[in-house]
Amino acid sequence: EGDVIAADLRIASSSRLQADESALTGESLPVGKSPNPVEAEAPIAERKSMLFKGTAATRGNAKAVVVATGLATELGKITELVASAKFEHTPLEIRLDRLGRRLIWVTLAIAAAVVLTGLLRGRGLIMVQTALALAVAAIPEGLPVVATLALARGLWRMARRNALVNKLSSVETLGATSVICSDKTGTLTENRMTLTRVEVLSGSDSSAKRVLELGALCNNAVLDDERPVGDPMEIAILRRAEQEGISRDALLRTMPEVREEAFDPEVRMMATLHETQNGTLVAVKGAPEAVLAASALEDSEEPMLTVHRLAASGLRVIAVAEKFADSRDEDPYQSLSFVGLLGFEDPPRAGVRKALDVCKQAGVRVVMVTGDAPETARSVAESVGLTAQSPTEHIEAIPGSEIRPLDKLNVEERERLLNANLLVRVSPTQKLDLIALHQSAGHVVAMTGDGVNDAPALKKADIGIAMGQRGTEVAREAADMVLRDDDFGTIAVAIEQGREIFENIRKFVRYLLSCNISEVMVVAVAILAGTTLPVLPLQILLLNLVTDVFPALALGLGEGTKGLMERPPRPSREPLVTASNWRGIAGFGVIITVSVLGALVFAQQYLGLDSEESVTISFLTLAVAQLLHVFNMRDANSSLLSNEVVQNRYVWAAIGLCLLILLTVVYVPALAAILEVHPPGAAGWLVVLVASLLPLIVGQASLHVRRLRERPSAA
């Protein structure tokens, strides 16, 4: 159950086997399978004795023989017919593309205005060249490349922290996650089951030894000193049995297994049939309610009182029953004799409480969604620090039966479910309804899961998170992210990384746009004023290739702003460039324009430089001002000398490289002739330095004022 089939197989033996063949046949429901032969020419959908590559076992188990692999399988034959794969753009790429398309129309309008104005003033061909250079400069064609590199670096960082992300788009969505619906076992707990309690009913003829014997017989696990194989609960049963001198192998030698009824999520029980001297023994284990309902004690209160007592202490409880059947084909789940209860302890993970505190501080709600009993779930929730909405209240365990489709919930029921932190006895269908409920309230929902039944919920959630160690292949393929360590703390790390990546992308988008707009404004204002062009066409292209791209790339690869997990998640529909961002971009464009034109006028009026020499001053001022402008991209709440931009070694490397290129262009005669620049001399460099510092000084001052304004509101 839960395995993705890796080849075409002929079934040799099976137990309650079903397979999801929707990917191959289009059949939406799981198909029952058996070893019984079918017609040789039967269609694929009717080959009940076969399992096919790419499908998944959704129930039961089987032994089968490989009959085809690779392109020889039925799925492989279809694959050969596929000539091309559809390329999917991430939401971020779509946003960037939309932004670029808008800028194209603005740029075309500006370019046309520049050409028209220049021609009216008699400047001729130079204006056409300048307009073309501005068109290239104004469109940030490097955005998709830098964004992809930033996302890819984020994926690499997450992988080092045990979070494997399947899609680039998931990284962006992670940063906006506001609700995490988390499984309990193995995510919030260690998934290190220890059988600590063996209970028999008072006055019963059964013994603890008999309970352990039946638990060892009704078992699929295999003990191994290095790495046991199987369900953690079944492994715990075998370990406790061995401590009591009970060996499953020895039991099977005297009572060989003749049939198995695999665990059925709907029946919530498992059974094995064994041949004994007294007939066919049926060993059953499963959920206490289900086992009691199938036994003669279903009207007795004592078993469930014991179950509630064990569950209230944080133990996970299963029941054990038996009977002797007249034949191997008899229904194993009727007329059972209740034998006893097994209580398992699964300690909370060491770092879960801290991770939950981090999520709470970040405005991310964590909801425990489990199939366990209310008492067990509540005990674990309280031990890991999952609290009620009010500190004075006890956490309420809401049963999954209260989760219904949106159109069947009234306002009060919706609010009750939206505010719930603990939901118990939740079915796969109810998980889908719960996700839809939170999404309808505007939340970005992350869902964790490990089993086949979790796959639909993992797909429906905005971020599906599968367990890498105990998760099934079906769950891992349906998920957007896989946790290699099955640790909830890794989710918090991934959310922080997602926020960091989005903030870095927003920073370099703001930087690129403000630099590009400054280039357009410098030329446009100069033309309207009828002065010398401050930058020439080739100089504009050089700036676009060098001083724009390298600092932007450095911003995208930075460590990100500190304190991101102390802020609420950003709204899911918030644009990449907000209205306040646009105001800042325009403002910095104006400041850089004033600096460049001021340097040009000063060089002409006070230094007495000719046209070509003064253009060199304005060109270098624009270049250096843009490089220093990168430090204005720091977070407003950070300090001047200790912030994410100053501490980014890539930023310093980018600035050093760009300055080296500028010096090479100025002082290598061949390059200087091509770009029409001249060495500015000491006085010229002083003008460049002073003028290019103006945008940095104004920018830092505005960030300081903003910090002072935000401090009272934050308090």
Side-chain angles (χ1 to χ4, degrees), residues 204-262:
S204 171
D205 295 333
S206 301
S207 64
K209 181 179 179 180
R210 185 56 177 169
V211 177
L212 289 173
E213 286 178 345
L214 292 171
L217 286 171
C218 188
N219 203 304
N220 277 324
V222 178
L223 281 185
D224 189 302
D225 293 336
E226 294 183 0
R227 188 175 182 182
V229 178
D231 183 85
M233 292 178 64
E234 294 191 336
I235 293 172
I237 293 173
L238 294 184
R239 282 177 171 163
R240 177 64 182 272
E242 285 202 343
Q243 291 174 3
E244 302 294 332
I246 301 170
S247 168
R248 184 171 190 270
D249 292 337
L251 291 173
L252 289 176
R253 281 194 292 270
T254 58
M255 294 178 286
E257 183 179 311
V258 295
R259 178 185 158 204
E260 176 187 325
E261 283 287 321

Side-chain angles (χ1 to χ4, degrees), residues 604-647:
Q604 290 176 335
Q605 299 294 329
Y606 296 97
L607 296 183
L609 300 180
D610 60 24
S611 177
E612 289 189 358
E613 292 174 332
S614 59
V615 168
T616 300
I617 299 296
S618 57
F619 160 65
L620 291 175
T621 299
L622 179 57
V624 177
Q626 289 182 349
L627 292 178
L628 295 179
H629 175 52
V630 73
F631 294 106
N632 291 328
M633 297 299 106
R634 70 174 175 89
D635 187 77
N637 294 314
S638 61
S639 63
L640 176 63
L641 299 178
S642 178
N643 57 71
E644 71 280 6
V645 180
V646 171
Q647 295 172 348

Side-chain angles (χ1 to χ4, degrees), residues 607 617 667 679-689:
L607 296 183
I617 299 296
Y667 290 104
W685 277 116
L686 182 60
V687 173
V688 170
L689 179 61

Side-chain angles (χ1 to χ4, degrees), residues 2-148:
D3 284 345
V4 173
I5 311 303
D8 283 3
L9 310 173
R10 175 61 167 90
I11 300 171
S13 62
S14 65
S15 172
R16 302 180 68 85
L17 182 65
Q18 288 188 348
D20 177 4
E21 297 183 344
S22 56
L24 186 65
T25 65
E27 176 63 48
S28 59
L29 298 176
V31 179
K33 296 289 184 176
S34 74
N36 300 329
V38 298
E39 294 293 331
E41 301 300 324
I44 293 176
E46 297 179 9
R47 298 179 192 175
K48 307 297 184 184
S49 59
M50 293 288 297
L51 292 171
F52 300 103
K53 175 179 172 62
T55 64
T58 58
R59 178 192 288 182
N61 53 58
K63 291 183 179 179
V65 179
V66 174
V67 296
T69 60
L71 294 176
T73 63
E74 296 298 331
L75 187 65
K77 294 173 184 176
I78 297 174
T79 303
E80 286 185 308
L81 301 177
V82 180
S84 61
K86 182 181 178 182
F87 179 78
E88 294 185 1
H89 291 279
T90 68
L92 181 61
E93 288 176 325
I94 295 172
R95 289 182 183 180
L96 292 175
D97 183 62
R98 188 181 299 121
L99 177 63
R101 290 178 184 275
R102 291 175 180 174
L103 289 175
I104 285 175
W105 292 108
V106 175
T107 303
L108 289 175
I110 293 174
V114 168
V115 172
L116 182 60
T117 305
L119 292 176
L120 291 175
R121 292 182 179 272
R123 296 200 177 188
L125 182 61
I126 186 65
M127 297 314 304
V128 177
Q129 295 173 340
T130 303
L132 291 175
L134 282 178
V136 173
I139 300 174
E141 65 277 351
L143 281 183
V145 176
V146 180
T148 302

Side-chain angles (χ1 to χ4, degrees), residues 142-151 505 508 512 549 552-557:
L143 281 183
V145 176
V146 180
T148 302
L149 288 174
L151 290 169
I505 291 174
F508 72 65
L512 278 178
V549 174
L553 181 58
L555 287 173
L557 300 180

Side-chain angles (χ1 to χ4, degrees), residues 503 506 510 561-564 566-568 578 580-581 583 634-639 644 701-715:
E503 285 300 311
R506 175 171 280 172
R510 287 167 48 213
T561 306
K562 293 181 180 179
L564 284 176
E566 298 174 4
R567 307 174 186 176
T578 63
S580 63
N581 293 152
R583 289 193 294 269
R634 70 174 175 89
D635 187 77
N637 294 314
S638 61
S639 63
E644 71 280 6
S702 65
L703 288 171
H704 181 68
V705 172
R706 181 179 166 189
R707 183 182 184 185
L708 293 177
R709 286 179 177 175
E710 290 182 354
R711 220 176 250 173
S713 60

